[in-house]
Amino acid sequence: MITLTINGKTVEVEDGTTILQAAEAHGMKVPYYCYHPDIGIDGNCRMCLVEVNGNTDKLTISCKQACGEGMDVQTESPAVKKARKGVLEFYLINHPLDCTICDEAGQCPLQDYAYKHGPGDSRFVEEKRKGPKKVEFSDKVIFDSERCILCTRCTRYFENVRDSRPIGVSDMGGKCTITLGPNGPIEDPYQLNIIDICPVGALTSLDARFNQRVWFMDFAKTICPGCSKGCNIEAAAYQGQLKRFEPRRNPDVNKSWMCDDGRLSYDRYNLTDRVRSAHVAGEPAELGVALDKVNELVGDGAGVAVLASTKNTCEDLLALRTWAQAHGVTQLWHGAETWAGDDFLKQPDATPNTAGAQGLGFEPVPDDVPALRGLVVAGDVPVPPALLGTIDFLVHQAPTAGELGPAAMVLLPGRTPLEKRGTFVNHEGRRQQVRPAVDPGPGVPEDWTLWRDLAGETARADWPSVRHVIGAVDRALGADKVASAS
Ligand code: SF4
Ligand code: SF4
């Protein structure tokens, strides 16, 4: 361990920790552009200059300098503040002042640092540099060279994280710019991550640009439901409509990344044809009447099976299991949805909670399906035709009626994963918290409450809130199944 002082505070850090990392870890913010914890150190932007051991003639870039024993670091000294002002004045010489029409405005470190650390005015009276705008790097990414501050995060992302070089830096001096390589448009299925790491509005997503101002949107910290990786995301919504998914850093799961397919899947959860009330035999019915009908149809549970979507949370599934077992239903199965995984993040299981379902006792549908009297389908899940062959009744609970809806004796409303509270267990056994990004509006209760109410008085008394069910899932899965919640 190394002991040093930062702004007069004595701190201890691991050998090899940089000054910037040490300062951040102890709550002292040092501005930077080119450094990124998941891309690495470059040291080109000069924003992170600090004063070491009183040396004001030659400030040190804190992202690259390792902490030394007994070092005395100042991150807010007059010399540091003066240097930051100078660096920012230099950046703003050529950066267009078009914040009012820039998609990055409101989440732009250049804007923020200029406000917080910048000189407030400029001595530059010459004409700003002009450069290509609206350059299509692919059918997903647009580049504006005038806004680029040449931090090279985007090129280093491809080199260091994706082991490819679809873009690079060309030319020199004032003509220096980011350019597409000779092989044409970027084709990487994780290319939209460069939009997030670009610290200015030079790289924008064709899908998200000019869609909605960031300050008008609500952001929910949740989990991507696209596959069993369980990438941590922020889901942004405006007036009840999902507008974008962005990765949320979790060094143990997805670092700062997510796949383009997952990112662009948000609109799938903006439903236009949702089930807003219960139906019995095709006719709208009070929820209580429909729930009574379910229990009447299921009877003692003989010959009845439950097929659950693994887009349900653990809490939905525990409540469902509790109801099913109270009614003698012992055949608890979960659905399967697959897609092509890869060796980076995408998993072949295209649902977020198969591990949670299995931990709670739901099994894959057996190859040899027994003859069934009835089937309860919980969630939006493909149903193997063999399950429908002999049944007398079908209960279907889902956000949309889908193909099963017309055949259902009882149709119950359901929520999408972006409307749920609870937890998912990812493919590595990590249990992570799911939070609602949008509210489905009236008539659509939380799924776990529906099964809890069906289960009866005891479940209602035991689980007055989702926190109680989360606790019950803790116990049901056992502590070893709960890697962490984020
Ligand atoms: S496009 Fe953005 S991320 Fe790439 S070098 Fe320019 S400012 Fe940095
Ligand atoms: S890898 Fe899976 S969980 Fe991650 S963003 Fe893609 S679809 Fe979502």
Side-chain angles (χ1 to χ4, degrees):
M1 296 294 278
I2 286 180
T3 306
L4 70 159
T5 60
I6 306 178
N7 297 340
K9 183 176 173 185
T10 302
V11 301
E12 264 204 344
V13 294
E14 298 271 351
D15 208 357
T17 307
T18 64
I19 295 175
L20 190 148
Q21 289 164 339
E24 281 210 328
H26 290 87
M28 289 168 268
K29 285 208 177 307
V30 177
Y32 58 86
Y33 290 123
C34 68
Y35 169 69
H36 188 286
D38 297 319
I39 300 174
I41 296 165
D42 201 51
N44 73 53
C45 78
R46 323 312 279 187
M47 268 307 291
C48 68
L49 290 166
V50 295
E51 186 181 310
V52 175
N53 297 338
N55 187 346
T56 53
D57 292 336
K58 190 171 186 306
L59 299 177
T60 301
I61 49 171
S62 61
C63 70
K64 207 156 192 169
Q65 177 64 55
C67 295
E69 185 64 36
M71 246 182 195
D72 174 20
V73 176
Q74 295 293 330
T75 69
E76 299 297 330
S77 70
V80 170
K81 288 182 177 172
K82 183 167 177 245
R84 272 183 205 152
K85 275 194 173 51
V87 171
L88 278 163
E89 184 179 8
F90 190 66
Y91 275 127
L92 293 170
I93 279 178
N94 279 312
H95 191 87
L97 298 179
D98 62 354
C99 301
T100 47
I101 55 155
C102 178
D103 236 36
E104 191 75 356
Q107 53 181 4
C108 172
L110 184 59
Q111 210 176 39
D112 294 346
Y113 290 167
Y115 181 73
K116 194 165 177 203
H117 306 291
D121 55 13
S122 172
R123 290 166 288 175
F124 189 71
V125 292
E126 291 80 6
E127 204 158 306
K128 284 180 186 279
R129 187 182 62 193
K130 296 277 178 258
K133 298 178 86 70
K134 276 178 72 178
V135 181
E136 289 188 19
F137 275 180
S138 71
D139 55 0
K140 295 177 186 165
V141 174
I142 300 285
F143 175 60
D144 180 324
S145 71
E146 289 180 0
R147 291 184 188 151
C148 174
I149 59 168
L150 286 163
C151 69
T152 68
R153 276 185 176 187
C154 54
T155 59
R156 286 180 292 124
Y157 164 75
F158 284 116
E159 283 170 34
N160 300 350
V161 180
R162 299 295 296 149
D163 197 21
S164 65
R165 296 193 67 187
I167 52 175
V169 182
S170 68
D171 289 307
M172 298 179 75
K175 293 192 176 148
C176 204
T177 187
I178 304 296
T179 317
L180 258 186
N183 296 329
I186 307 171
E187 288 180 349
D188 192 302
Y190 290 84
Q191 63 181 274
L192 285 169
N193 289 318
I194 61 174
I195 310 294
D196 309 316
I197 57 176
C198 179
V200 292
L203 293 169
T204 48
S205 149
L206 208 56
D207 174 72
R209 70 202 304 255
F210 309 132
N211 196 328
Q212 189 48 260
R213 283 302 201 182
V214 67
W215 54 85
F216 287 134
M217 293 191 283
D218 298 313
F219 288 81
K221 291 178 168 50
T222 189
I223 302 299
C224 172
C227 81
S228 61
K229 184 69 190 175
C231 291
N232 292 212
I233 62 166
E234 290 213 48
Y238 175 68
Q239 294 189 342
Q241 287 283 301
L242 289 161
K243 290 290 182 184
R244 56 170 102 148
F245 289 168
E246 290 174 353
R248 182 164 54 92
R249 186 163 191 260
N250 184 331
D252 297 321
V253 180
N254 53 305
K255 295 199 167 70
S256 300
W257 320 125
M258 70 186 298
C259 73
D260 293 355
D261 285 336
R263 184 190 296 261
L264 297 175
S265 68
Y266 67 89
D267 202 30
R268 191 187 301 164
Y269 305 100
N270 287 324
L271 304 181
T272 51
D273 57 346
R274 73 175 315 141
V275 178
R276 286 225 163 266
S277 65
H279 287 68
V280 175
E283 296 298 324
E286 293 286 332
L287 186 60
V289 171
L291 294 183
D292 288 345
K293 184 71 180 172
V294 174
N295 279 342
E296 180 195 320
L297 288 167
V298 170
D300 64 2
V304 177
V306 165
L307 176 67
S309 162
T310 43
K311 287 175 249 171
N312 280 304
T313 61
C314 293
E315 292 62 32
D316 298 335
L317 293 168
L318 182 65
L320 175 62
R321 182 183 89 177
T322 302
W323 161 74
Q325 290 178 341
H327 286 78
V329 179
T330 54
Q331 301 175 103
L332 300 177
W333 300 327
H334 67 74
E337 291 174 63
T338 56
W339 67 350
D342 61 29
D343 58 3
F344 188 35
L345 297 177
K346 278 170 81 171
Q347 300 300 308
D349 176 358
T351 65
N353 199 25
T354 302
Q358 291 178 344
L360 291 166
F362 289 77
E363 295 176 349
V365 179
D367 292 337
D368 194 10
V369 177
L372 295 175
R373 181 172 62 83
L375 181 66
V376 178
V377 178
D380 175 16
V381 53
V383 181
L387 297 189
L388 300 169
T390 59
I391 56 174
D392 295 336
F393 73 88
L394 173 69
V395 173
H396 184 37
Q397 182 256 344
T400 57
E403 287 179 6
L404 288 186
M409 174 59 76
V410 180
L411 180 63
L412 298 168
R415 292 191 170 201
T416 74
L418 275 298
E419 296 160 351
K420 289 176 184 281
R421 289 184 295 169
T423 56
F424 289 151
V425 182
N426 82 351
H427 72 117
E428 293 171 315
R430 177 176 293 272
R431 186 156 163 241
Q432 306 189 98
Q433 198 158 355
V434 177
R435 301 178 182 89
V438 283
D439 188 322
V444 187
E446 292 190 61
D447 302 43
W448 67 270
T449 62
L450 203 144
W451 302 116
R452 173 202 64 180
D453 292 351
L454 256 182
E457 281 304 323
T458 310
R460 271 199 290 274
D462 286 349
W463 296 337
S465 78
V466 74
R467 280 193 306 111
H468 294 84
V469 201
I470 289 174
V473 172
D474 289 349
R475 293 184 288 280
L477 288 178
D480 60 324
K481 299 261 174 42
V482 186
S484 89
S486 66

